[in-house]
Amino acid sequence: VTLTYENEDVASLPSFEKKGYRTLPLLYVNGKRISDSLAARARPSQTLLSYLRDVLGLTGTKLGCAEGGCGACTVMISRWVEGVEVGDEDDGKGGNGSGGKIVHYSANACLMPVLAADGTHVTTIEGVGSVRRDAGGGGGLHPLQSAMVDLHGSQCGFCTPGIVVAIYALLANKPEVKYVEEHLDGNLCRCTGYR
């Protein structure tokens, strides 16, 4: 399958394929590789949020402000970073060059182009946990989601998926609760007076 866009030189695509360049994005969402037919629907001008909601039907990630200020669209991006050892307090830009690790960070899907997620793994609220259980008793809510429910941590619920994913991304990297409040600076709850 070859991606073609309006107003682009389609004749050059076969030459890229001959040189070994990919013409389809490599996308992983919630533990699964996105099929080539769905990956072909990603457009250069499309945000990750639009792709998740409109193409993949994952509507748990919300559009709030469309400016990256409210955090309702928060997703976790995971990528392999060379040269960072497990346990390094590095930000993913260096290390001793003898290995690497998976680095997780939260991102505003309303601002991130979908093609910037090429080669990364995107986790949405649907990938964190679910109210559905499978026949074997698996599945169910993640402990973060259970805590939000048990401790009445949301009001209308619109911002809750973004808050849960932001905390999930933080704890995936640094499992220390002391960073939670600082890490949630990009998430707003309008019901509670923007706290």
Side-chain angles (χ1 to χ4, degrees), residues 76 86-89 101-104 142 144 166-181 183:
M76 183 175 79
V86 175
D88 280 357
E89 294 302 317
K101 73 174 190 173
I102 298 174
V103 176
H104 311 281
H142 184 276
L144 283 172
I167 296 171
Y168 184 77
L170 170 69
L171 296 179
N173 272 337
K174 296 180 181 179
E176 297 179 37
V177 179
K178 67 182 181 180
Y179 297 107
V180 170
E181 188 173 343
H183 192 73

Side-chain angles (χ1 to χ4, degrees), residues 29-30 34 38 41 46-64 66 72-75 109-110 112 114 122 124-126 157-159 161-162:
V29 177
N30 295 333
I34 300 303
L38 288 175
R41 294 178 58 190
Q46 187 174 32
T47 64
L48 179 58
L49 178 65
S50 170
Y51 183 78
L52 291 170
R53 292 180 63 84
D54 300 338
V55 176
L56 300 182
L58 299 172
T59 57
T61 306
K62 308 293 185 205
L63 176 63
C73 63
T74 303
V75 296
C110 72
M112 184 175 178
V114 64
V122 178
T124 67
I125 190 67
E126 291 92 345
F158 191 82
C159 66

Side-chain angles (χ1 to χ4, degrees), residues 113-132:
V114 64
L115 296 180
D118 181 43
T120 68
H121 182 271
V122 178
T123 304
T124 67
I125 190 67
E126 291 92 345
V128 174
S130 173
V131 294
R132 298 184 194 133

